[in-house]
Amino acid sequence: MLTHRTVSVGGLRTHIAEQGAGPLVVLLHGWPETSHSWRHQMGPLADAGYHVVAPDQRGYGRTDCPADAGQYTMLHLVGDVVGLIHELGEQEAIVVGHDWGAPVAWHTALLRPDVVRGVAGLSVPPASRAAEPPLTLLRKRIGDGFYQIYFQRPGVAEAEFGADLRTTFRKLLGGSADAPVVRDGEGFLDRFTEPDPLPAWLTDEDVDVAVESFGRSGFTGGLNWYRNIDRNWELLAPWQDRPITPPAFYLCGDGDITRAFSDSSRIAEIATDLRGAVDVPGAGHWVQMERRNEVNAALLDFFKQL
């Protein structure tokens, strides 16, 4: 049975959803999500014999949201995962992440391979540390309107997304965009359609959960992850060119919008024990919700290899 509780991790009150018993699996959500995004994975993975835990990550949902933007670096986020594993009485876990949760999963495997039994990333592949700060490269490649650059301005995206929470989540989760670029005089949401009706995999109740969660937490915590992108590049310099060594797995919808600005061609070089890379035909960005059965089967196949 799925349960919820609060644990202390690194001084933060951290909300977790939890189900099952057995080897620990930690599921890390992305933006703008919470542990609810793994609702279709919790039961099937638990039924297969795993202790499945999905936290609301730092800055989201019912987990604490530090006020200082500097408290959202990749080192803090990896520390939260390691701390959670130990708080649950384990020495290691399989770590799975989607969207922003994927870089956290990949970096947990990079920085602390001793606690990662296996690592899986959905949507976002592992990436080598670039020669220049990431935002500099994004400006050169895509321009100042790219959404990750738009998110750098404190208060701007918060005001846009918070103006009408229901419209925000209907668009972000259920809508579509031709490109994640903000044009002059517009906001990020202006590039998204508002679906009517919602896609079959997304219910009004799911939107209600997002509205309630972000009505409580606000958007600043999650956006602060973006505001540390260049700082992360600086902090991760000691791991330049170091490979990810735990067993690894990657999965992405072939219609995922992140494919336009990420590179999956070098996964096997970066993650040297790659056990599989799966494209899900016809799936978009929210693949674990859109194609739950295929994702669950692929994850369990990877888990069995461990």
Side-chain angles (χ1 to χ4, degrees):
M1 182 176 69
L2 180 67
T3 60
H4 295 264
R5 63 185 171 115
T6 299
V7 297
S8 179
V9 177
L12 296 184
R13 293 171 297 173
T14 300
H15 169 259
I16 63 172
E18 187 172 27
Q19 190 166 350
L24 178 61
V25 175
V26 176
L27 303 176
L28 304 173
H29 67 80
W31 181 90
E33 301 175 273
T34 63
S35 55
H36 184 70
S37 70
W38 296 108
R39 59 195 175 277
H40 302 304
Q41 282 67 54
M42 301 290 294
L45 299 186
D47 290 344
Y50 295 92
H51 176 197
V52 188
V53 173
D56 289 347
Q57 294 202 78
R58 176 182 294 243
Y60 288 92
R62 283 177 265 180
T63 291
D64 285 345
C65 305
D68 179 3
Q71 297 292 302
Y72 294 86
T73 73
M74 188 59 71
L75 298 186
H76 289 89
L77 303 175
V78 169
D80 290 343
V81 179
V82 175
L84 177 60
I85 292 169
H86 291 159
E87 175 65 23
L88 295 170
E90 301 290 347
Q91 295 302 310
E92 62 176 8
I94 303 169
V95 182
V96 181
H98 169 255
D99 185 79
W100 248 113
V104 178
W106 295 125
H107 280 92
T108 303
L110 175 67
L111 274 60
R112 288 300 305 274
D114 57 306
V115 302
V116 177
R117 185 174 169 218
V119 57
L122 279 56
S123 294
V124 180
S128 295
R129 184 175 179 273
E132 295 181 80
L135 295 181
T136 299
L137 294 175
L138 288 169
R139 285 188 173 95
K140 290 178 180 178
R141 179 180 170 191
I142 303 175
D144 285 338
F146 187 58
Y147 79 104
Q148 294 183 12
I149 296 169
Y150 172 70
F151 287 175
Q152 300 303 309
R153 293 178 284 172
V156 175
E158 287 94 328
E160 179 187 0
F161 299 142
D164 183 338
L165 289 173
R166 187 161 301 279
T167 296
T168 291
F169 286 103
R170 286 178 64 88
K171 285 188 171 185
L172 288 178
L173 298 178
S176 61
D178 54 356
V181 176
V182 180
R183 294 178 291 206
D184 288 344
E186 293 187 348
F188 182 63
L189 294 175
D190 291 324
R191 302 304 299 270
F192 284 78
T193 61
E194 183 173 359
D196 186 19
L198 292 172
W201 53 268
L202 184 69
T203 68
D204 286 320
E205 290 74 21
D206 295 327
V207 174
D208 289 342
V209 171
V211 168
E212 191 277 332
S213 295
F214 283 83
R216 180 195 303 110
S217 68
F219 288 90
T220 299
L223 290 168
N224 280 340
W225 292 37
Y226 290 94
R227 293 164 186 161
N228 280 281
I229 287 175
D230 278 357
R231 188 175 183 209
N232 289 335
W233 179 82
E234 296 174 359
L235 293 172
L236 292 167
W239 290 271
Q240 179 78 42
D241 299 324
R242 182 175 176 177
I244 295 168
T245 56
F249 176 75
Y250 174 66
L251 180 146
C252 189
D254 68 0
D256 194 320
I257 195 170
T258 62
R259 287 177 175 262
F261 51 89
S262 61
D263 179 10
S264 61
S265 64
R266 297 184 57 243
I267 296 177
E269 298 174 38
I270 300 167
T272 54
D273 189 4
L274 184 66
R275 304 293 180 91
V278 173
D279 288 331
V280 182
H285 181 62
W286 313 107
V287 63
Q288 80 273 33
M289 295 181 272
E290 295 178 43
R291 304 290 281 276
R292 64 194 73 171
N293 293 334
E294 290 159 83
V295 169
N296 294 345
L299 288 175
L300 287 172
D301 181 65
F302 170 57
F303 294 177
K304 290 173 184 176
Q305 298 179 45
L306 306 178

